[in-house]
Amino acid sequence: QVQLVESGGGLVQAGGSLRLSCAASGRTFSNYVMGWFRQAPGKEREFVALITKSGSSTLYASSVKGRFTISRDSAKNTVYLQLTSLKPEDTAVYYCAASPITTMSRSGYDYWGQGTQVTVSS
């Protein structure tokens, strides 16, 4: 079983930056597509970004494309989400997740972290 732990969230002003980290336990990290999702209070959990098993391809939600960057470091069993040009509407709990296939649907992800809070003030 895969265990995921997010970190790096915090409070920033609009226009600022954060880097979120997701540390995976076990030795199966490279067998999974890794995704980031976010959920604001009262809203559905939504897709943010994914990176393929090899790290050769990435996919972003239109709302974050050009501002966020997903990457993975196989040696550290860690996936990152670099957040730049943050907006108040980016405020949410951000979740890391692992899927056996490339998909933007949250139902395709079998393992989830506990989430890390990102708050962007005006």
Side-chain angles (χ1 to χ4, degrees):
Q1 189 171 350
V2 177
Q3 294 181 331
L4 306 171
V5 180
E6 302 97 332
S7 63
L11 174 63
V12 297
Q13 292 187 330
S17 300
L18 283 173
R19 188 176 75 161
L20 309 183
S21 298
C22 173
S25 65
R27 299 176 180 177
T28 60
F29 179 72
S30 63
N31 293 333
Y32 294 92
V33 174
M34 301 299 297
W36 285 95
F37 292 76
R38 66 186 183 185
Q39 187 168 25
K43 297 181 66 178
E44 294 287 327
R45 190 169 300 187
E46 65 177 357
F47 170 78
V48 175
L50 66 79
I51 186 165
T52 55
K53 296 175 182 180
S54 66
S56 63
S57 185
T58 59
L59 182 64
Y60 299 91
S62 60
S63 59
V64 307
K65 196 172 191 300
R67 298 189 298 121
F68 294 4
T69 303
I70 188 171
S71 61
R72 64 194 296 164
D73 186 334
S74 296
K76 295 183 177 180
N77 284 353
T78 301
V79 62
Y80 303 95
L81 187 67
Q82 180 69 47
L83 316 178
T84 62
S85 301
L86 283 163
K87 305 174 181 179
E89 51 262 46
D90 295 319
T91 296
V93 176
Y94 283 70
Y95 296 90
C96 177
S99 172
I101 61 171
T102 303
T103 177
M104 296 181 291
S105 299
R106 58 186 182 272
S107 62
Y109 289 79
D110 298 322
Y111 305 101
W112 295 82
Q114 84 288 351
T116 186
Q117 177 72 47
V118 172
T119 303
V120 184
S121 63
S122 300

